[in-house]
């Protein structure tokens, strides 16, 4: 029986990046990290675990929640992300929750205050709220009665007659845990990932408390020889292209925050509209036009000549990057990113086959089956990158076609 540890990672004061964006964010080193993580995942899914990597899954829960013992006085608390403010914002009573929050958020935080102490939490842990009792719905999907909860974009569905369905319906709240924190104060706490949390807590029917991990009981999340050869060919081509790339051009993106931000923003507009980059030459031309138009628009917002000139100077400075040689290298960079995405999506599709909870999207006309939000890969050095099918989940996240959990 093969197990993959899975959880949503959100390190204190950090932002988890998409695997392919490591090329833009980290230049040569970031590209090498992405390739090595994909090689490790390929080896793991091919039955060769010689490369050290933890594979985790992202749950689409909301809100993020912290709970445990205040290191200053030993009292139980719950918190949102404000726990790491200069003046930590934590709640120890229902009155404190009501004084600072309202609506469904207040209800969830008060439920957490009421039921989470039953788990016997030591220290501080972080998770994602999946449901309160009122969030659970009895519905029908493909002719089967199911219990659903819809915390954010994805609807989670389990057969009502199953043991899991019965357990969830008995619970007052559901939370998936993914991070532990240690430290003598909230300000100096450090995060640890990939460790079992829920399995070490006390059991109570009031809380469906789980580690975000699944077990590949069927053995379906294993590459065939054909799969292994295919992804190896992608990675081999990626490696060849990586070696040919000019390091100065590649690092020039990560070393220029303004350029990096514009390239990623332009790339994300394609993702959110469900467009895959199939013509890299056209994409680079569109990128140059986007950057020019952006700064010209910014200049138009300024009333003084000096203000207008500052924006035009910014435009001209960034456009210096797009020399003929750099444009060719940039086209190769996007081609290499496409190869990384192809490899990543092969891994995602294979891991999706082992999911034991049905994931759906809700539309006005009913449900549409979708894959889990995605996964996270963590190497032995603690470096972590997201593996998300952005053409699917990211599109759904921004598309008005799919109803979100907070929409009634």
């Amino acid at each position: 029986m093969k197990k993959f540890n899975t959880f949503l990672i959100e390190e204190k004061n950090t932002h988890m990046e998409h695997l392919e964006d490591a090329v833009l964010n980290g230049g040569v080193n970031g590209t090498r990290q992405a390739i090595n993580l994909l090689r490790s995942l390929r080896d793991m899914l091919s039955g060769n675990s010689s490369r050290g990597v933890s594979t985790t899954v992202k749950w689409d829960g909301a809100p993020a929640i912290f709970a445990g013992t205040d290191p200053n006085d030993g009292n139980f608390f719950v918190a949102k992300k404000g726990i790491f403010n200069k003046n930590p914002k934590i709640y120890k009573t229902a009155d404190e929750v009501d004084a600072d929050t309202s609506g469904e958020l207040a209800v969830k935080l008060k439920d957490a205050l009421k039921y989470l102490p039953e788990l016997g939490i030591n220290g501080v842990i972080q998770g994602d709220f999946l449901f309160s009792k009122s969030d659970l719905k009895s519905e029908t999907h493909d002719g089967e009665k199911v219990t659903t909860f819809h915390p954010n974009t994805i609807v989670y569905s389990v057969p009502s007659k199953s043991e899991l369905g019965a357990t969830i319906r008995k619970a007052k709240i559901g939370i998936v845990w993914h991070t532990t924190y240690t430290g003598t104060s909230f300000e100096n706490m450090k995060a640890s990932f990939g460790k079992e949390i829920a399995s070490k807590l006390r059991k109570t029917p009031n809380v469906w408390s789980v580690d975000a991990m699944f077990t590949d009981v069927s053995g379906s999340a294993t590459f065939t020889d054909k799969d292994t050869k295919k992804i190896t060919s992608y990675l081999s081509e990626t490696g060849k292209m990586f070696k040919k790339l000019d390091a100065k051009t590649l690092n020039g993106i990560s070393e220029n925050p303004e350029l990096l931000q514009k390239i990623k923003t332009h790339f994300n507009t394609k993702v959110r509209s469900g467009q895959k980059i199939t013509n890299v030459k056209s994409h680079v031309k569109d990128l140059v036009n986007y950057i020019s138009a952006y700064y010209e628009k910014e200049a138009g917002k300024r009333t003084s000549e000096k203000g207008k000139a500052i924006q035009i100077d910014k435009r001209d400075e960034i456009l210096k990057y797009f020399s003929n040689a750099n444009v060719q290298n940039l086209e190769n960079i996007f081609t290499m990113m496409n190869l990384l995405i192809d490899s990543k999506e092969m891994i995602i599709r294979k891991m999706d086959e082992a999911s034991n909870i049905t994931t759906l999207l809700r539309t006005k006309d009913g449900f549409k089956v979708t894959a889990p939000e995605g996964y996270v890969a963590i190497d032995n050095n603690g470096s972590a990158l997201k593996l998300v099918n952005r053409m699917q989940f990211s599109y759904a996240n921004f598309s008005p076609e799919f109803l979100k959990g907070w929409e009634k």
Side-chain angles (χ1 to χ4, degrees):
M1 182 170 64
K2 182 190 298 181
K3 291 185 178 180
F4 301 119
N5 291 334
T6 62
F7 63 103
L8 167 64
I9 229 176
E10 287 181 11
E11 187 173 0
K12 176 184 175 183
N13 295 328
T14 65
H15 173 67
M16 182 69 62
E17 292 282 356
H18 291 279
L19 180 135
E20 61 272 21
D21 283 354
V23 174
L24 306 175
N25 296 321
V28 170
N29 290 335
T31 303
R32 187 175 292 115
Q33 178 196 10
I35 292 172
N36 287 338
L37 278 172
L38 287 171
R39 286 173 176 166
S40 296
L41 290 166
R42 173 204 59 190
D43 292 348
M44 181 187 73
L45 293 174
S46 300
N48 174 11
S49 57
S50 59
R51 296 177 182 268
V53 64
S54 297
T55 309
T56 65
V57 74
K58 290 169 59 63
W59 284 69
D60 189 33
I65 189 163
F66 297 77
T69 305
D70 184 339
N72 296 308
D73 60 17
N75 291 325
F76 184 83
F77 76 93
V78 298
K80 305 175 295 180
K81 291 184 179 179
I83 185 176
F84 297 124
N85 291 350
K86 186 174 181 180
N87 294 312
K89 186 172 288 187
I90 62 176
Y91 312 107
K92 298 177 182 177
T93 67
D95 287 342
E96 289 176 345
V97 172
D98 286 332
D100 188 58
T101 65
S102 61
E104 290 190 12
L105 175 60
V107 171
K108 286 177 167 53
L109 289 171
K110 286 188 286 187
D111 280 347
L113 263 178
K114 182 176 180 179
Y115 298 113
L116 290 184
E118 298 176 18
L119 299 178
I121 298 170
N122 291 315
V124 176
I125 58 179
Q126 180 186 355
D128 289 282
F129 213 103
L130 296 176
F131 63 82
S132 289
K133 193 73 172 178
S134 60
D135 297 321
L136 297 177
K137 290 182 171 58
S138 295
E139 303 189 79
T140 300
H141 178 242
D142 280 350
E144 181 180 32
K145 291 188 180 301
V146 295
T147 298
T148 65
F149 50 96
H150 189 184
N152 207 349
T153 298
I154 290 177
V155 179
Y156 293 93
S157 169
V158 296
S160 295
K161 291 184 178 180
S162 68
E163 182 179 348
L164 179 57
T167 299
I168 288 174
R169 286 197 309 279
K170 288 178 183 177
K172 300 296 193 299
I173 59 174
I175 296 181
V176 56
W177 302 109
H178 51 74
T179 309
T180 61
Y181 289 88
T182 55
T184 57
S185 69
F186 293 121
E187 292 82 357
N188 67 19
M189 282 187 170
K190 297 187 181 301
S192 297
F193 314 113
K195 297 179 180 179
E196 291 187 355
I197 300 174
S199 59
K200 297 180 180 179
L201 301 176
R202 288 201 295 258
K203 306 300 179 187
T204 169
N206 290 324
V207 183
W208 186 55
S209 174
V210 294
D211 290 313
M213 58 194 307
F214 63 90
T215 302
D216 181 16
V217 178
S218 64
S220 56
T222 304
F223 278 146
T224 63
D225 289 343
K226 183 178 179 181
D227 293 331
T228 302
K229 287 178 182 178
K230 185 175 182 180
I231 192 171
T232 298
S233 70
Y234 286 150
L235 292 172
S236 176
E237 189 64 27
T238 304
K240 290 176 183 176
M241 187 161 286
F242 179 39
K243 289 177 181 178
K244 292 179 181 178
L245 279 173
D246 178 65
K248 186 176 180 180
T249 302
L250 189 53
N251 288 333
I253 298 172
S254 60
E255 293 169 356
N256 186 330
E258 189 90 1
L259 174 63
L260 173 63
Q261 190 266 333
K262 293 296 175 291
I263 291 176
K264 290 175 68 175
T265 299
H266 180 253
F267 184 81
N268 286 335
T269 60
K270 305 295 183 183
V271 170
R272 292 178 182 181
S273 62
Q275 299 178 45
K276 196 166 186 175
I277 299 171
T278 55
N279 186 325
V280 293
K281 287 184 180 294
S282 177
H283 182 71
V284 173
K285 287 180 182 178
D286 287 347
L287 173 61
V288 173
N289 291 335
Y290 162 76
I291 291 173
S292 296
Y294 174 84
Y295 286 105
E296 287 167 12
K297 183 177 180 180
E298 288 299 305
K301 296 178 182 177
R302 272 56 179 182
T303 55
S304 70
E305 291 304 313
K306 182 179 179 181
K308 294 178 185 294
I310 288 173
Q311 296 303 314
I312 297 302
D313 287 345
K314 283 185 178 181
R315 179 201 65 188
D316 293 343
E317 183 63 30
I318 282 191
L319 290 180
K320 286 179 182 178
Y321 176 84
F322 296 91
S323 65
N324 289 336
N326 272 3
V327 164
Q328 178 63 57
N329 275 301
L330 194 54
E331 290 170 0
N332 290 335
I333 287 170
F334 284 119
T335 298
M336 185 177 66
M337 288 176 67
N338 277 341
L339 287 166
L340 289 172
I341 291 169
D342 288 340
S343 302
K344 177 191 73 170
E345 290 181 352
M346 274 194 72
I347 288 168
I348 289 171
R349 286 194 297 270
K350 181 54 63 175
M351 295 191 70
D352 286 347
E353 293 177 15
S355 179
N356 62 351
I357 292 184
T358 301
T359 46
L360 308 167
L361 296 171
R362 192 185 299 277
T363 73
K364 293 179 180 178
D365 299 319
F367 290 123
K368 179 179 179 180
V369 176
T370 190
E373 179 183 344
Y375 304 88
V376 174
I378 310 165
D379 63 22
N380 282 336
N381 296 321
S383 298
L385 293 170
K386 291 190 294 190
L387 286 81
V388 174
N389 186 331
R390 296 166 88 176
M391 292 301 108
Q392 181 171 282
F393 178 77
S394 299
Y395 172 73
N397 207 24
F398 291 97
S399 172
E401 176 187 355
F402 303 110
L403 304 178
K404 308 304 186 286
W406 60 86
E407 295 176 323
K408 302 300 182 183

